[in-house]
């Protein structure tokens, strides 16, 4: 698989996820989703809520401290507002489409679209420099 083509890579990733979800749906519909043979294919992840919360607090503290050190609180607030509006907008689009995954699909697609645009722009810039 060509990792230099992010669009093909993402589409392959979607295909794999879709196949797994379709098989999971078939197993659930047939009443076999809780069977030992089916569940033995998957590993159970043990969650650690305290560690997760501490990472979140640490990240928020680090961002805030760095913002204060570089006197960029105004920029942080602008970024926060932009991301809030982006997620809220994607959630609203998901809600209007009556999707089961409210903001994740439009948000993920939007972020990937921006990343592809920036990568394409960067590669065009490099090609221009070579000429």
């Amino acid at each position: 698989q060509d990792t230099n083509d992010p669009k093909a890579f993402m589409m392959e990733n979607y295909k794999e996820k879709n196949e797994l979800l379709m098989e999971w749906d078939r197993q659930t519909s047939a009443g076999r989703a809780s069977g030992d043979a089916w569940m033995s294919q998957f590993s159970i992840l043990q969650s650690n809520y305290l560690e997760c919360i501490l990472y979140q607090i640490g990240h928020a503290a680090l961002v805030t401290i760095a913002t204060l050190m570089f006197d960029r609180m105004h920029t942080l607030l602008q970024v926060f507002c932009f991301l809030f509006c982006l997620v809220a907008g994607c959630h609203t689009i998901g809600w209007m489409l009556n999707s089961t995954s409210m903001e994740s699909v439009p948000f993920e697609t939007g972020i990937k679209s921006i990343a592809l645009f920036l990568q394409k722009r960067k590669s065009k810039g490099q090609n221009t420099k070579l000429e």
Side-chain angles (χ1 to χ4, degrees):
Q1 177 168 308
D2 184 16
T3 57
N4 292 330
D5 184 9
K7 185 175 182 180
F9 181 77
M10 287 187 298
M11 292 309 292
E12 185 63 30
N13 188 309
Y14 280 134
K15 182 180 171 188
E16 291 171 14
K17 287 178 184 176
N18 190 46
E19 288 171 0
L20 178 64
L21 289 172
M22 283 181 4
E23 182 59 28
W24 191 275
D25 188 51
R26 279 195 289 269
Q27 293 290 332
T28 303
S29 297
R32 297 186 303 257
S34 59
D36 291 336
W38 170 249
M39 292 304 289
S40 67
Q41 301 176 57
F42 307 101
S43 57
I44 296 175
L45 299 175
Q46 298 298 324
S47 57
N48 186 338
Y49 295 109
L50 179 61
E51 184 178 344
C52 180
I53 290 171
L54 289 176
Y55 275 119
Q56 294 293 325
I57 291 170
H59 181 260
L62 179 66
V63 168
T64 304
I65 290 168
T67 301
L68 291 172
M69 282 176 49
F70 294 109
D71 194 29
R72 302 302 296 176
M73 187 56 78
H74 182 71
T75 304
L76 178 66
L77 293 175
Q78 285 178 331
V79 169
F80 175 77
C81 289
F82 171 76
L83 290 176
F84 178 80
C85 292
L86 181 67
V87 171
C90 290
H91 182 85
T92 303
I93 291 170
W95 175 73
M96 289 171 62
L97 295 174
N98 198 20
S99 176
T100 56
S101 177
M102 290 294 200
E103 75 276 349
S104 63
V105 173
F107 184 70
E108 183 178 332
T109 305
I111 293 295
K112 287 179 180 178
S113 298
I114 291 169
L116 284 172
F117 170 75
L118 292 174
Q119 182 182 18
K120 194 177 288 188
R121 189 173 79 171
K122 181 180 177 183
S123 66
K124 282 182 182 179
Q126 289 174 349
N127 290 340
T128 306
K129 290 177 185 176
L130 295 174
E131 294 173 355

